[in-house]
């Protein structure tokens, strides 16, 4: 590990949350504190609070993710929240979507090392993979962008009646109010702010839930998805 950043021992809460994948969670924390810092994926000042602020804060998102669904973690970065979520929820099929090569390389190494067979790493931006990746039930993200911009990227990736589950900070309520009009245009039918992680993290993790109706992303993105689907079918026929 880096000399100037000491990873503290895992708290007891981590044993409870990660269960039989606790050892893998420790290995992931060690990778973040070492290679993650060296490659500029996480700041050295974050290492002492990796467990509470990052791994556990992300893992408790599992409390509000339905069983057996498909998930796309947009702007996954160093794998937060996607990797902790994958460790506690083997029932999920998770795609880690990240545009930067050095980050996707790190994510691929982590997924292989930890044997996360239900996780796929994809390099790209949300707007680039629209129509190329199958629509998912849930889109997750953490500290990627303001809510209105994040929704514009993530909502079009959803299946009809899917939802975004976004880890946010103290300004979550204000962001929801400010993004109301934009969310409506994207086909959102409900938005709420949830607090998860009782007995695990303090303060609780704040999650913004954005639920969509039958046209995720609105009419414009429905047309783009249909065009991409037609193009894909034509390519398969030619192949």
């Amino acid at each position: 590990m880096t000399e100037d950043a000491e990873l503290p021992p895992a708290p007891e809460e981590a044993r409870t949350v990660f269960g039989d994948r606790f050892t893998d969670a420790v290995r992931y924390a060690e990778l973040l504190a070492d290679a993650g810092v060296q490659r500029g994926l996480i700041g050295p000042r974050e290492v002492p609070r990796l467990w509470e602020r990052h791994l556990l804060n992300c893992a408790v998102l599992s409390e509000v993710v339905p069983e057996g669904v498909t998930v796309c973690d947009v702007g996954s970065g160093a794998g937060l929240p996607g990797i902790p979520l994958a460790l506690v929820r083997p029932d999920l099929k998770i795609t880690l979507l990240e545009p930067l090569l050095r980050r996707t390389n790190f994510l691929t190494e982590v997924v292989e090392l930890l044997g996360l067979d239900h996780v796929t790493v994809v390099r790209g931006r949300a707007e680039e993979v629209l129509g190329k990746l199958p629509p998912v039930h849930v889109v997750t993200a953490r500290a990627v962008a303001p809510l209105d911009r994040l929704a514009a990227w993530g909502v079009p990736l959803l299946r009809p009646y899917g939802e975004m589950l976004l880890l946010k900070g103290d300004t979550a309520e204000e962001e929801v109010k400010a993004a109301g009009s934009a969310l409506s245009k994207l086909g959102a039918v409900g938005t709420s702010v949830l607090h998860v992680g009782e007995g695990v993290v303090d303060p609780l993790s704040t999650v913004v839930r954005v639920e969509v109706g039958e046209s995720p992303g609105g009419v414009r993105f429905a047309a783009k998805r249909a065009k991409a689907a037609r193009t894909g079918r034509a390519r398969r026929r030619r192949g």
Side-chain angles (χ1 to χ4, degrees):
M1 253 173 294
T2 55
E3 294 180 0
D4 58 344
E6 189 70 28
L7 177 68
E12 281 304 310
E13 291 85 352
R15 293 182 180 274
T16 302
V17 170
F18 290 104
D20 59 3
R21 299 305 297 262
F22 171 72
T23 301
D24 290 324
V26 171
R27 186 71 185 109
Y28 177 50
E30 292 171 346
L31 288 168
L32 286 175
D34 190 352
V37 173
Q38 292 174 12
R39 299 187 195 182
L41 304 183
I42 192 166
R45 292 182 180 179
E46 296 302 311
V47 173
R49 50 186 183 179
L50 266 178
W51 284 106
E52 289 81 2
R53 185 182 175 94
H54 298 285
L55 274 75
L56 289 173
N57 178 271
C58 290
V60 296
L61 181 64
S62 65
E63 295 178 17
V64 290
V65 178
E67 289 187 16
V69 298
T70 52
V71 177
C72 183
D73 188 33
V74 172
S76 196
L80 301 164
I83 296 294
L85 185 61
L87 287 170
V88 299
R89 293 291 299 276
D91 59 300
L92 304 175
K93 295 291 184 183
I94 299 177
T95 298
L96 306 179
L97 182 63
E98 169 55 49
L100 295 185
L101 180 60
R102 62 187 172 90
R103 293 176 180 172
T104 54
N105 285 342
F106 176 78
L107 292 172
T108 299
E109 292 167 15
V110 171
V111 167
E112 292 176 354
L113 182 66
L114 302 185
L116 298 173
D117 298 334
H118 57 305
V119 177
T120 303
V121 178
V122 174
R123 185 185 176 195
R125 300 181 185 279
E127 57 270 31
E128 296 170 347
V129 302
L130 182 63
K132 299 177 183 177
L133 292 180
V136 296
H137 297 91
V138 175
V139 164
T140 60
R142 177 177 186 252
V144 173
L147 179 57
D148 54 350
R149 198 187 319 163
L150 187 52
W153 298 335
V155 167
L157 300 177
L158 290 170
R159 295 169 50 140
Y161 306 104
E163 60 184 345
M164 292 189 77
L165 295 170
L166 313 172
L167 283 163
K168 283 289 186 178
D170 296 337
T171 62
E173 296 279 2
E174 290 81 355
E175 284 195 56
V176 168
K177 292 177 183 177
S181 177
L183 292 174
S184 180
K185 290 177 182 177
L186 286 166
V189 297
T191 309
S192 53
V193 177
L194 314 172
H195 298 283
V196 297
E198 184 72 43
V200 178
V201 290
D202 184 18
L204 299 179
S205 297
T206 301
V207 180
V208 173
R209 170 184 274 156
V210 178
E211 300 168 279
V212 302
E214 61 182 354
S215 298
V219 175
R220 183 164 63 94
F221 285 103
K224 288 182 70 173
R225 275 193 298 270
K227 181 179 179 181
R230 289 195 298 271
T231 302
R233 287 195 296 269
R235 286 174 179 167
R236 287 193 292 272
R237 284 198 295 270
R238 288 197 298 270

